Amino acid sequence: VSSKPRALKGRDLITIGIFTAIYFVIQFATMLLGGLHPALWVFMPVLDGLLAGIPFMLMCAKVQKPGAVVIMGLIVALIYFATGMFTPLILAMMAASCEAVRALARWKGFAGNALAYAVFGFGMCGSPLPIWVFHDSFMAQISAQGMSAEYCATLDALASAPVLVAMLAGTFVAGLAGAAIARVLFKKHFEKAGLV
């Protein structure tokens, strides 16, 4: 019997699609909170890391084959691409990176998949990242789109190097925490899949 992971089949693609939809709903809900306060948007990837680990880790448990995470990332990336957001490129790159992490773990084991999820979370940093990468043009754009002066001023104040580091570090740590939360809540499923 070959030790190589089997190719993805129709049932696997359906499973990936279901968990991707759940992941996106959770992620989109955290993004909507960003409309309440700029800090919630900047640290949206951190909230996402804590809350969206369940669908990601369950998908990893059920589809222990190469390509699953890449497909999840690309589906979400395409959705955001349709909305004209900056997120897709980074999300796609992070999906490829975490697939490599999963490959090193042979698509099994909690530690490898938890690390993959923590890396995957960096993709969502692509949403607030333009504050630093394209600061002036981005601030002008959201102001022209009707964002309040108070919101823009607060967002501008958040555009510092320490906040950027905090967002990136927080996203990674939250990803590990989110994976751990998923394992606690669905321990039986992980044990059955050998993902413990």
Side-chain angles (χ1 to χ4, degrees):
V1 180
S2 174
S3 60
K4 293 182 179 180
R6 295 170 297 164
L8 292 169
K9 296 182 178 179
R11 183 177 179 180
D12 298 320
L13 296 176
I14 292 173
T15 300
I16 294 168
I18 291 171
F19 285 111
T20 298
I22 297 171
Y23 170 83
F24 178 77
V25 169
I26 295 172
Q27 189 282 315
F28 190 70
T30 63
M31 183 174 286
L32 288 178
L33 291 175
L36 300 176
H37 192 275
L40 289 175
W41 180 53
V42 169
F43 289 99
M44 171 271 297
V46 178
L47 291 174
D48 183 46
L50 284 174
L51 302 176
I54 292 173
F56 183 96
M57 295 299 290
L58 283 176
M59 185 200 70
C60 289
K62 292 181 177 294
V63 186
Q64 298 181 14
K65 300 175 182 179
V69 174
V70 169
I71 291 173
M72 173 181 264
L74 290 179
I75 290 174
V76 176
L78 287 173
I79 293 173
Y80 280 111
F81 178 77
T83 67
M85 296 189 66
F86 186 73
T87 305
L89 178 60
I90 294 180
L91 185 57
M93 290 190 299
M94 290 304 103
S97 298
C98 65
E99 190 64 36
V101 174
R102 285 193 79 205
L104 290 174
R106 302 184 69 83
W107 298 276
K108 295 183 179 181
F110 172 76
N113 284 288
L115 180 59
Y117 177 60
V119 174
F120 187 79
F122 284 127
M124 297 320 303
C125 292
S127 182
L129 198 58
I131 301 171
W132 292 273
V133 179
F134 307 116
H135 179 75
D136 293 342
S137 61
F138 181 76
M139 295 303 298
Q141 178 185 345
I142 62 173
S143 179
Q145 291 174 344
M147 197 65 69
S148 71
E150 181 182 358
Y151 189 100
C152 290
T154 303
L155 193 60
D156 186 50
L158 288 169
S160 66
V163 172
L164 176 60
V165 172
M167 179 189 70
L168 294 173
T171 297
F172 185 79
V173 172
L176 296 178
I181 291 171
R183 183 169 67 167
V184 170
L185 294 177
F186 295 93
K187 184 178 179 182
K188 186 177 296 184
H189 290 279
F190 287 169
E191 289 176 344
K192 185 177 180 180
L195 192 70
V196 294

